Amino acid sequence: MRWGIIGWGTRTGIGTINWSFWRTGRFASWLLPDHPERIPLADDPGPGIVQTDLRDERALAQWLSGIDGLFFTERPFFDDAISIFLRAKRRGLRIVCEPVAEWLPPSNTAWLHLPDVMWAPTRHTLPVLRQAAQVAPGRNRFAWENHIVGGRWGIELARWPFKLRKVCRRFLFCNGGGGCLGRKGLAVVLDAARRVPECSVLIRSQVPIPPRSVPANVELRIGNDPDQAGLYSEGDVLLAPSLFEGFGYSLYEAQACGMPVIATNFPPMDEAGVAWPLACEGGLSHNLCGRPFEYARPEPAALAGIMRALNGRPIEAESRAAFERSRAW
């Protein structure tokens, strides 16, 4: 089958994930909509990538005629998604979605009835999808009800250069865009850093962070680095006190680079097999799009305690183990 991707290609979370799918070589084409905020692309478009604002009917029809299946990740982010998916179905195309638990909408949401297959990116997502399929009533049953697959996806190992970390001298926190509800855990990191002024922390963020909120032992690095592979070049241990994760790629990427990880001991973060699980208050509930989901509240004091214990300590064994673990998933 000839498969096509549809979705952003920006230098943000979903955009970089789409690029990872594209680089597998398993897709014939990619319909790349113009982003309304004009965020830069994460890579240079090449053969097979069709950039459009989706209002070009001729380009859209031509793209759909050249594929047998359509793939998108997380949820539809662009206008007219429903009409595009319906056109694809009328042409007999199969539709595959890679959703995440926290953005799975109620069963009566229109787009949720269009995929034929759901690919779960984590083990945590599998039962969420199965439960959603079971509660859909009568004629609202999903085509993908008996086509829920996956349980993990993976990362591009070749893109993440290994560097042996010998002594823990600096902690790294990658904030990215901060995430919905501050899910990356910036507040937890800042609180923990204040408790351990002897620990050096580097925060890399794509969005501004008010300097007055940052303790003296923390360096801010604000910017949208085009060299994604260099994210983990500085620092010895990754701080990942996430409230929740859809994919959790950074936990795996850091370990592939030889960087041990401190991560929240709560699904799906606990699937990554990190060196130091972080205690948390778990099972808190929130509602992002009409369906409640559980998330964690990592404990800053617990994070500070792990940082204090690791500061200045040899971590070569943990660095090698992280690298080996990344190859074993």
Side-chain angles (χ1 to χ4, degrees), residues 101-102 104-108 112 128 131-133 135 142 286-293:
E102 64 270 19
L104 194 69
S107 298
N108 60 356
L112 201 57
V128 175
Q131 192 274 337
V135 301
F142 299 123
H286 203 283
N287 186 329
L288 283 177
C289 58
R291 183 191 297 273
F293 72 98

Side-chain angles (χ1 to χ4, degrees), residues 282-306:
L284 305 177
S285 182
H286 203 283
N287 186 329
L288 283 177
C289 58
R291 183 191 297 273
F293 72 98
E294 289 189 334
Y295 69 100
R297 181 71 68 181
E299 299 177 5
L303 179 57
I306 299 174

Side-chain angles (χ1 to χ4, degrees), residues 153-166:
W153 182 259
I155 60 170
E156 300 173 272
L157 291 174
R159 287 181 59 81
W160 304 105
F162 172 71
K163 175 184 174 182
L164 182 64
R165 323 290 164 136
K166 296 184 177 182

